C-alpha cells in the first residue's frame, strides 16, 4: 500500500481496452474484495495475460483510481447538465440520485465500501476520494446558488451544510445497500429524496437560525 | 473468510483479558486494516503469545464479533436509559450521538469501515451487523413512540423512515470521519443533529403526506 504514491494517478483517456479491464476489475473486486483480489484475477476476468494488463494499469491502486475517475467523469457530466430550463433543481438532483444510487447494480456499492475502507488507511486513496468529492461539491454549490437566486430554494439556505447532510445520507445509503442483502433501495431512495426536500427548507444559514436554536427542546 | 461460520459467535461475558485483547485488536485493525492484520499482530499488541490469544478468540472474525458485541452492549445500554424524565428525547439522542460519533476516537470509525467492507462480502458478518442494527432500532422505535404519545414529536411522525434517514446520515458521518483526515467531527455532528430535529417535524406517515407529495417541485 505504501508504494502506491506514483501508481495512483489515473489514466486520463479510456480506450475500449481500459474500459474492459475496469468492468472486469469491478466484478472481481466486488466478489473477492479489493484487498484479496490480485492483478492475475483481474487479467483472467478481462481475458488477457497479466503482462498485458500491466501495460494498461500498473497496480490495483491504479485500477481503483481509473474506476473512480470514470465514475467522477459520469457524475460530473450529470452535474454539469443541471440547468433551470430542465425543471426544478431538486427534481434534477433526485433523478441523478436515482441513476447513481438506485439503478446502478449493488456491486458498485460493494466496491465503494472497499475503496472507502482502504482510503481510511491510505493517504493517496483518501486524497483521490477528496478530489472526487471536490469536483462534485463544486458543481452542486453553483447549482444551489442559482436555485436560491431564481426562488426555487429559500434565499437563506445554508448550502454547505445542506450538501453535507445530503452527502452523508447518500454515503450511508450506499453502505446499507452494500451490507444489507435485503435492503430496499427504492424505499431507501424515497427516504433520501424526501429528506433532501425537507432539509432544503429547514437548513438556514446560522445567522438566521441563531434565535431559534436557543430553545431546542 | 468462508470458514468463519462457527467462529463468528461472540464470546458473551468479557473478562479483563478479553477487554485487553479487544483494545489491542482495535489499534491493530485501524493501523493495518482488518484484512492485512494477523492474529500474531494482535497477540503482540496485547502482550501475549499467539497460543494464549487463541484461548480467548478463535479467529479474527471472532475478535470482530467481540468488538461489535461490546459496542452493541454499550449503545444498547444508552438507548435503554432513554427516559422522558431525563428531558426531551431529541436532546437525549443528541447526547448519545455526541458520545458515540464525536467523542470516540477516529480509529473507531476506521474499524467500522473495515467491518462494513467485509460485511458487504461476508454473510456471517452481514448478519452480525444486522443483529446490532435490530437491537438499536428496536429500542429507538419504542422511545419514539413514547415521544409521540407525550407530545414532544408530531403524532403523525413516520418513525421507521425517520430512523432510516438518521441512521443513514450517521453511517455517512462515520464514513467521512474515517476517510477525510480534516473532517470536522464537531461541525459534522451539528449538521447531523440539526437535520435530525428538522426531519422529526418533516417526515409524516405516507397517508398524511400523500396530498403534499403530488406537487413536489
Amino acid at each position: 500500500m505504501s508504494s502506491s504514491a506514483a501508481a495512483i494517478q489515473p489514466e486520463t483517456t479510456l480506450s475500449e481496452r481500459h474500459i474492459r479491464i475496469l468492468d472486469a476489475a469491478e466484478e472481481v473486486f466486488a466478489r473477492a474484495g479489493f484487498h484479496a483480489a490480485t492483478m492475475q484475477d483481474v487479467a483472467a476476468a478481462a481475458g488477457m495475460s497479466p503482462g498485458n494488463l500491466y501495460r494498461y494499469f500498473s497496480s490495483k491502486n491504479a485500477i481503483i483510481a481509473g474506476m473512480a475517475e470514470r465514475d467522477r467523469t459520469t457524475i460530473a457530466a450529470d452535474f454539469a447538465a443541471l440547468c433551470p430550463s430542465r425543471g426544478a433543481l431538486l427534481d434534477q438532483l433526485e433523478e441523478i440520485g436515482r441513476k447513481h444510487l438506485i439503478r446502478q447494480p449493488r456491486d458498485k456499492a460493494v466496491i465503494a465500501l472497499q475503496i472507502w475502507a482502504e482510503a481510511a488507511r491510505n493517504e493517496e486513496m483518501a486524497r483521490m476520494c477528496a478530489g472526487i468529492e471536490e469536483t462534485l461539491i463544486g458543481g452542486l454549490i453553483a447549482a444551489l446558488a442559482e436555485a436560491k437566486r431564481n426562488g426555487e430554494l429559500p434565499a437563506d439556505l445554508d448550502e454547505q451544510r445542506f450538501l453535507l447532510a445530503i452527502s452523508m445520507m447518500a454515503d450511508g445509503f450506499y453502505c446499507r445497500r452494500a451490507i444489507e442483502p435485503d435492503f430496499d433501495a427504492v424505499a431507501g431512495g424515497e427516504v433520501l429524496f424526501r429528506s433532501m426536500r425537507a432539509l432544503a427548507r429547514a437548513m438556514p444559514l446560522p445567522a438566521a437560525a441563531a434565535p431559534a436554536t436557543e430553545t431546542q427542546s
Side-chain angles (χ1 to χ4, degrees), chain A:
Chain A
M1 292 284 92
S2 56
S3 64
S4 61
I8 207 158
Q9 295 303 323
E11 282 76 359
T12 44
T13 45
L14 293 178
S15 69
E16 211 171 309
R17 186 63 67 95
H18 281 101
I19 291 166
R20 200 215 297 176
I21 296 169
L22 292 179
D23 288 343
E26 285 194 345
E27 190 203 306
V28 170
F29 291 175
R31 178 164 35 85
F34 169 73
H35 218 99
T38 65
M39 288 292 272
Q40 281 72 14
D41 297 333
V42 175
M48 57 174 65
S49 69
N52 204 6
L53 172 61
Y54 278 101
R55 289 177 46 209
Y56 294 89
F57 292 99
S58 55
S59 68
K60 284 197 290 180
N61 279 340
I63 293 178
I64 282 283
M67 282 179 190
E69 186 65 27
R70 177 164 73 164
D71 287 350
R72 167 159 63 177
T73 307
T74 319
I75 300 176
D78 285 340
F79 282 149
L82 288 170
C83 176
S85 71
R86 292 169 184 253
L89 174 62
L90 296 187
D91 289 342
Q92 295 179 63
L93 289 182
E94 185 171 317
E95 184 47 37
I96 293 178
R98 284 186 198 285
K99 176 178 170 186
H100 291 282
L101 295 172
I102 299 175
R103 288 202 294 269
Q104 291 277 12
R106 176 175 167 264
D107 272 5
K108 281 274 187 190
V110 176
I111 292 167
L113 225 56
Q114 310 286 321
I115 296 177
W116 295 346
E118 278 302 300
R121 301 182 309 105
N122 177 325
E123 268 188 32
E124 289 293 322
M125 224 177 257
R127 257 195 292 276
M128 189 186 72
C129 290
I132 292 174
E133 184 77 13
E134 221 168 275
T135 308
L136 302 189
I137 294 289
L140 276 173
I141 290 281
L144 285 168
E146 171 57 29
K148 284 167 68 166
R149 263 194 304 275
N150 71 27
E152 180 195 338
L153 295 179
D156 64 351
L157 172 67
D158 187 337
E159 60 254 52
Q160 296 277 0
R161 288 194 175 78
F162 169 68
L163 275 185
L164 178 57
I166 301 307
S167 315
M168 289 196 296
M169 210 180 288
D171 289 350
F173 173 97
Y174 237 52
C175 287
R176 270 150 204 271
R177 186 143 190 235
I179 298 171
E180 299 174 13
D182 301 329
F183 183 68
D184 184 337
V186 172
E190 291 313 316
V191 168
L192 177 61
F193 303 139
R194 275 180 74 184
S195 301
M196 173 181 76
R197 291 174 189 281
L199 293 177
R201 318 238 142 245
M203 191 64 79
L205 288 160
T213 51
E214 276 170 25
T215 55
Q216 286 183 321
S217 60

